[in-house]
Amino acid sequence: MTFRATLLAAAGAAALLAGVASPALAVTDEDIANDAKTTEDVVTYGLGNQGQRFSPLKTLTRDNIKSLVPAYSFSFGGEKQRGQESQALVKDGVIYVTGSYSRAWAINSRTGEKIWEYNARLPEGILPCCDVVNRGGALYDNLFIFGTLDAKLVALDAKSGKVVWKKDVDDFKSGFSFTSAPMIVKGKIITGVSGGEFGIVGRVEARDAKTGEIIWKRPVIEGHVGELNGKPSTMTGKTNETWPGDMWKYGGGATWNGGTYDAETNLIYYGTGNPGPWNSWLRPGDNKWSASRIALDPDTGEIKWGFQTTPHDGWDYDGVNEFVSFDLVKDGKTIKAGATADRNGFFYVLDRTNGKFISASPFVSKITWAKGIDEKGRPIEDPAFRPADPGKEKQGKSVFAVPSFLGGKNWMPIGYSPETKLFYVPSNEWGMDIHNEPVAYKKGAAYLGAGFTIKPIFEDHIGSLKAIDPATGKIAWEYKNKAPLWGGVLSTAGNLVFTGTPEGFLKAFDAKTGEEVWKFNVGTGVVATPITWEQDGEQWVGVAAGWGGAVPLWGGEVAKSTAGITQGGSFWAFKLPKEVAAR
């Protein structure tokens, strides 16, 4: 099968039918830099490259949200459903959204009518670990850019949907794939790679956004050499400093959840995934920079600092979760800080200028693998809860570790409100029976050396949306959900927080108290991240819908909590009518 792709709709005719003029577009670096402040569009993944997911819109409030009504639902169509985890973008009356199986659409933001559709023609043998999802694209100039499951990066003409350029990221037969949303920084498109369960080596790349040509590459595992302007650059760390023998060659550290950027420090922040294999007895040492947050120079790709949340990870706790920049006021001083809710169950605050540890606090219950975090930010591990060395046996002794490998928080983005000064964290309360097994690397084969079964911690809930005060680490409020939460959050200046549930609801909460103030059932699970924008004097809210993702595939006993949830594929748009807002 070839790698060609088919365009399913003629853009010009469809645009006329949709009642839309040819979009002005031409998204600039200035548009991207100001995205967190502008209200009429959403041109970045995260409502700004810092990733705070906060909108200054305040027309919609807890007092009038009961009048928020659906404007339309756009169907992704066909039989290709599964998990829909995309965060949409909005520019000049057009919504750009991706879907499962590496598809993309442009739709009229007012009517929901299709302008164009693109389907990647995927080959046989792709190896996505955790469903056939896509989390979104990037807009730059007149391009819409997103990644595909066969490890390619595709740039489409945003007005027509036609391919402008397409680049191979890596070999999908080795386990590489691409699911995260790219990020634009200074005219460069910044991307990572997926495939950490297959012994690939994670890296961050920068390309010219207009041409797709590589500018730099930075592998995240020590011993590997980077690239700058087509030539070898520096080595990441030192060979065998924290890895034994040749284990670093297949060391994992996949950068599969995308990154953030802070213009004040001029740093790109990326999380890195689990080391390979999961069986930690085969790779003694800290295994840097797996399960870490790293800061990179956007011009050269050099690592400026690193902070490892789970040294010598033996539970697949990864470290990919997003690092969100914010200003921390503590003891009368303002600190340029960043925060991340780690898979390992701890909420970290770091100095974003240098990576120095500020604080860490548990945000899920009954953590067993560590007794706490010391004054330097290193976990105080409880050795009784590391899976036992199997030696030459087929299976080592199992332990019950909390949280499970799907984490206190997985991919689903957190949000920060500069008004409430709280972080909003979609989390899950679960643990796992986990044991180790012997394993050897084989190209394209799962590189785990572990077996596991996920189990709930509480009878009445698994999902838990928490508001966390980064200055104290305390939980300000909590919403409990029967099924696991698997979608991201959005907060607004209208004192609202939005998120979705597998049960099919898009919900809104009072940002200060956590009181549920609105909900709407879209007929399938919501595992995407909502957005909001203003058009024609009205505030709109949008979210992709479609149940899937890692939970039904890897969820063990907790997957029972989602049994019977129907799949789907759609984008829902809601609006608050002018006449209501004017009251």
Side-chain angles (χ1 to χ4, degrees):
M1 187 177 293
T2 66
F3 293 145
R4 68 183 181 89
T6 56
L7 188 66
L8 297 186
L16 290 173
L17 287 171
V20 180
S22 180
L25 216 70
V27 174
T28 66
D29 290 302
E30 184 178 4
D31 292 332
I32 291 167
N34 292 328
D35 195 36
K37 300 175 183 177
T38 56
T39 58
E40 70 279 2
D41 56 28
V42 178
V43 297
T44 62
Y45 183 80
L47 281 74
N49 274 345
Q50 285 190 325
Q52 291 188 353
R53 299 186 177 276
F54 172 82
S55 170
L57 281 171
K58 53 186 177 183
T59 305
L60 189 61
T61 68
R62 63 165 293 155
D63 296 326
N64 61 24
I65 195 171
K66 63 182 180 295
S67 299
L68 183 68
V69 293
Y72 58 81
S73 175
F74 172 80
S75 174
F76 294 163
E79 298 178 357
K80 294 181 177 180
Q81 297 182 347
R82 304 282 287 271
Q84 309 296 343
E85 295 183 354
S86 176
Q87 181 224 288
L89 303 175
V90 186
K91 178 66 174 172
D92 294 332
V94 180
I95 291 171
Y96 301 89
V97 63
T98 62
S100 57
Y101 293 97
S102 305
R103 297 172 293 162
W105 296 265
I107 60 179
N108 185 318
S109 65
R110 294 175 174 83
T111 67
E113 294 174 87
K114 181 169 65 176
I115 299 172
W116 55 255
E117 177 177 354
Y118 173 88
N119 276 293
R121 186 65 63 88
L122 298 172
E124 298 292 336
I126 56 172
L127 296 168
C129 83
C130 307
D131 207 0
V132 287
V133 301
N134 188 282
R135 299 188 177 99
L139 285 170
Y140 190 67
D141 194 42
N142 291 305
L143 300 175
F144 177 74
I145 310 168
F146 79 115
T148 61
L149 289 168
D150 55 347
K152 296 181 185 298
L153 195 62
V154 182
L156 306 176
D157 184 300
K159 299 178 183 180
S160 69
K162 294 180 179 179
V163 175
V164 176
W165 56 257
K166 182 176 2 178
K167 302 293 181 181
D168 290 330
V169 174
D170 218 304
D171 179 13
F172 72 88
K173 294 179 182 178
S174 297
F176 285 91
S177 59
F178 199 122
T179 56
S180 62
M183 176 175 63
I184 303 292
V185 177
K186 297 180 175 181
K188 305 178 186 71
I189 186 153
I190 312 298
T191 58
V193 294
S194 301
E197 271 60 63
F198 297 93
I200 63 97
V201 171
R203 65 178 185 265
V204 183
E205 295 182 344
R207 297 171 182 265
D208 184 309
K210 293 184 180 181
T211 66
E213 296 302 317
I214 283 284
I215 298 172
W216 55 256
K217 296 181 181 181
R218 173 50 53 190
V220 304
I221 299 299
E222 70 179 30
H224 294 271
V225 176
E227 178 183 318
L228 179 63
N229 298 324
K231 299 179 180 179
S233 60
T234 57
M235 179 182 288
T236 300
K238 297 179 181 179
T239 306
N240 295 134
E241 186 173 30
T242 65
W243 288 83
D246 289 341
M247 297 300 290
W248 58 275
K249 292 182 178 180
Y250 314 106
T255 46
W256 60 264
N257 205 26
T260 58
Y261 170 72
D262 175 49
E264 292 183 7
T265 58
N266 191 33
L267 291 174
I268 292 169
Y269 304 106
Y270 250 83
T272 68
N274 59 280
W278 288 21
N279 182 343
S280 63
W281 300 96
L282 298 175
R283 45 173 174 78
D286 282 356
N287 312 136
K288 290 181 178 177
W289 285 106
S290 69
S292 302
R293 306 305 183 281
I294 57 174
L296 304 102
D297 184 315
D299 299 314
T300 65
E302 293 295 326
I303 295 176
K304 293 300 184 180
W305 60 256
F307 181 88
Q308 193 169 42
T309 47
T310 311
H312 197 215
D313 180 10
W315 307 267
D316 188 39
Y317 284 154
D318 270 33
V320 296
N321 289 353
E322 66 283 5
F323 184 78
V324 178
S325 298
F326 74 108
D327 290 336
L328 173 68
V329 178
K330 193 169 186 178
D331 300 327
K333 297 180 180 180
T334 299
I335 303 169
K336 293 184 187 300
T340 187
D342 200 79
R343 287 256 288 266
N344 69 18
F346 291 91
F347 183 86
Y348 293 81
V349 179
L350 309 178
D351 184 320
R352 70 178 187 263
T353 67
N354 54 27
K356 289 186 177 179
F357 176 73
I358 295 175
S359 66
S361 53
F363 67 93
V364 292
S365 305
K366 302 183 179 182
I367 294 173
T368 63
W369 76 277
K371 299 175 183 178
I373 307 295
D374 70 18
E375 67 280 359
K376 294 183 179 180
R378 191 176 180 90
I380 306 169
E381 184 187 332
D382 188 334
F385 293 95
R386 179 179 290 270
D389 184 357
K392 296 182 180 179
E393 301 297 322
K394 291 184 178 181
Q395 179 177 317
K397 181 181 178 182
S398 178
V399 299
F400 186 69
V402 179
S404 80
F405 75 90
L406 288 181
K409 188 194 83 75
N410 201 274
W411 80 275
M412 49 279 194
I414 63 177
Y416 174 74
S417 168
E419 296 202 348
T420 64
K421 293 182 170 48
L422 296 174
F423 275 89
Y424 301 99
V425 178
S427 67
N428 290 299
E429 304 281 359
W430 46 22
M432 62 178 172
D433 290 321
I434 181 170
H435 66 266
N436 282 164
E437 305 165 350
V439 68
Y441 174 77
K442 182 180 179 181
K443 179 181 176 180
Y447 190 46
L448 302 184
F452 44 81
T453 301
I454 299 178
K455 298 179 179 180
I457 298 295
F458 301 107
E459 292 184 2
D460 63 335
H461 75 286
I462 299 171
S464 170
L465 176 64
K466 298 180 175 78
I468 299 176
D469 183 344
T472 63
K474 294 181 178 179
I475 296 171
W477 57 259
E478 176 183 13
Y479 158 76
K480 298 176 180 179
N481 195 73
K482 177 65 176 177
L485 293 181
W486 208 250
V489 301
L490 163 74
S491 69
T492 75
N495 191 39
L496 296 171
V497 175
F498 291 87
T499 199
T501 73
E503 292 90 342
F505 287 100
L506 177 63
K507 294 191 174 189
F509 303 87
D510 184 301
K512 295 177 182 177
T513 67
E515 178 188 353
E516 184 181 307
V517 295
W518 178 85
K519 66 180 180 180
F520 183 90
N521 196 298
V522 299
T524 180
V526 178
V527 293
T529 305
I531 60 169
T532 188
W533 73 100
E534 186 176 44
Q535 63 184 9
D536 305 325
E538 297 173 321
Q539 185 172 351
W540 290 61
V541 176
V543 70
W547 171 239
V551 173
L553 297 177
W554 297 80
E557 291 185 14
V558 305
K560 298 175 184 177
S561 67
T562 62
I565 294 176
T566 56
Q567 291 187 347
S570 57
F571 181 84
W572 282 78
F574 304 83
K575 70 175 181 178
L576 182 71
K578 284 182 183 178
E579 55 271 22
V580 175
R583 292 174 189 167

